[in-house]
Amino acid sequence: MITNVYGTDTYRIKEYLHEHAAGAIIGEEGLKTQGLFDQAPVILYDPPAKLKIPEDLDVFVVTEKKPKTKENLVELNLLKGPEVASWIKNEAKRQGFAIDADAVSLLAKQYRDTWQIKLTLDMLCNYAVDATIRARDVTTLAPTVSEEKIFDLTDAIAGRQKGQAVVLLSRQLEQGSDPYYLFSMIVGQFRNMIAPKRAGVHPYAAGKAAGFAKRFQPGELPTFYRRLSALEHSVKEGEYDITDGLYKFIFSL
């Protein structure tokens, strides 16, 4: 059976695949290496339209674009409005914590994407003195570096200014920025360059992203995006340190 998973919420997509496609083989090679018994599911990221997918396999096709088919669709886009607060409360509860309404409100105001808020919640759960997350906890752990400075970093990376990007990354880390949050911002920058006109991108950000995209040769942006995806997977599997991975990615530009 083919399940089409689409949207821009990378964290919830990863969680969905973790739950529904445990032990999956990633990539087209997975379609060719199936044994007669105990067939593993296969995950395909933006496969070619002409790729033939066997109907007797459990295949999860992941893309940011909504498929034309209406069967077996799972939509996981960035959260909006009341969805953000609801997700925050449910995620805290899933980790065994209650969270005050004021703390939820503060986190909701910081929402850029679910991955960023998940990282913040992880820190809060480790920091909280009891099983309740309060507003003062959020205030204490709030990022000390302004978003404007982080955009300087992502712009330097998008502009392929390696030296400047390394300096800015080092400065961000020295000032206490979470490397996982920086990673999520870099991923967002490349996503904007690949698809600047996608839903939810501010016209100003879309214009900047389109300009940066011109500095890359055809086919380069998807390659770098796949490198970021591979880095995320390696970090989650404990194969790589996120900070080292960020530096390595910058030097690969």
Side-chain angles (χ1 to χ4, degrees):
M1 181 178 73
I2 300 175
T3 301
N4 292 284
V5 184
Y6 74 98
T8 55
D9 195 327
T10 56
Y11 173 75
R12 289 197 298 141
I13 288 174
K14 293 287 186 183
E15 287 297 292
Y16 177 87
L17 294 175
H18 179 74
E19 180 180 353
H20 296 277
I25 300 172
I26 300 176
E28 296 178 25
E29 288 300 314
L31 302 176
K32 308 173 185 177
T33 58
Q34 300 294 325
L36 295 176
F37 306 99
D38 194 25
Q39 292 181 329
V42 177
I43 299 174
L44 301 175
Y45 290 93
D46 294 312
K50 296 182 180 180
L51 180 66
K52 293 183 179 180
I53 301 176
E55 295 183 359
D56 58 337
L57 295 180
D58 286 331
V59 179
F60 295 81
V61 177
V62 184
T63 178
E64 285 192 0
K65 297 180 181 179
K66 185 174 182 178
K68 295 180 181 179
T69 179
K70 296 182 179 180
E71 297 181 0
N72 299 325
L73 292 178
V74 177
E75 180 178 1
L76 295 170
N77 280 311
L78 293 178
L79 302 172
K80 297 180 180 179
E83 295 175 339
V84 177
S86 178
W87 183 87
I88 290 172
K89 288 185 285 187
N90 289 335
E91 182 63 22
K93 182 178 179 181
R94 189 179 70 82
Q95 297 194 43
F97 284 78
I99 181 167
D100 288 348
D102 289 345
V104 172
S105 179
L106 286 173
L107 285 175
K109 291 178 181 177
Q110 295 180 14
Y111 181 81
R112 298 283 187 293
D113 58 58
T114 314
W115 177 245
Q116 167 235 341
I117 294 296
K118 170 62 168 59
L119 293 172
T120 303
L121 276 173
D122 288 346
M123 289 190 294
L124 288 166
C125 290
N126 290 326
Y127 177 83
V129 294
D130 52 28
T132 300
I133 298 170
R134 297 177 173 83
R136 65 173 179 269
D137 300 327
V138 178
T139 303
T140 300
L141 291 182
T144 57
V145 183
S146 71
E147 293 292 320
E148 182 180 355
K149 297 298 182 182
I150 294 178
F151 288 136
D152 288 343
L153 169 63
T154 57
D155 284 353
I157 292 174
R160 310 189 82 163
Q161 298 172 306
K162 296 182 186 181
Q164 180 72 357
V166 167
V167 171
L168 291 172
L169 174 60
S170 298
R171 193 172 297 163
Q172 293 278 2
L173 295 172
E174 290 171 359
Q175 295 177 356
S177 289
D178 188 319
Y180 293 95
Y181 179 54
L182 297 178
F183 173 78
S184 72
M185 296 294 284
I186 294 169
V187 171
Q189 179 74 293
F190 274 84
R191 188 182 297 135
N192 287 349
M193 287 192 288
I194 292 172
K197 295 183 179 180
R198 63 188 177 88
V201 181
H202 191 278
Y204 175 74
K208 283 185 64 177
F212 284 130
K214 295 178 181 178
R215 305 191 182 197
F216 293 81
Q217 297 297 320
E220 276 194 309
L221 284 174
T223 297
F224 283 115
Y225 193 77
R226 285 192 292 270
R227 288 181 188 174
L228 289 169
S229 178
L231 171 59
E232 180 182 13
H233 179 75
S234 296
V235 169
K236 288 186 176 180
E237 294 296 322
E239 301 171 359
Y240 223 94
D241 177 78
I242 183 63
T243 300
D244 291 341
L246 288 173
Y247 281 110
K248 183 178 179 180
F249 176 77
I250 291 175
F251 286 124
S252 74
L253 293 170

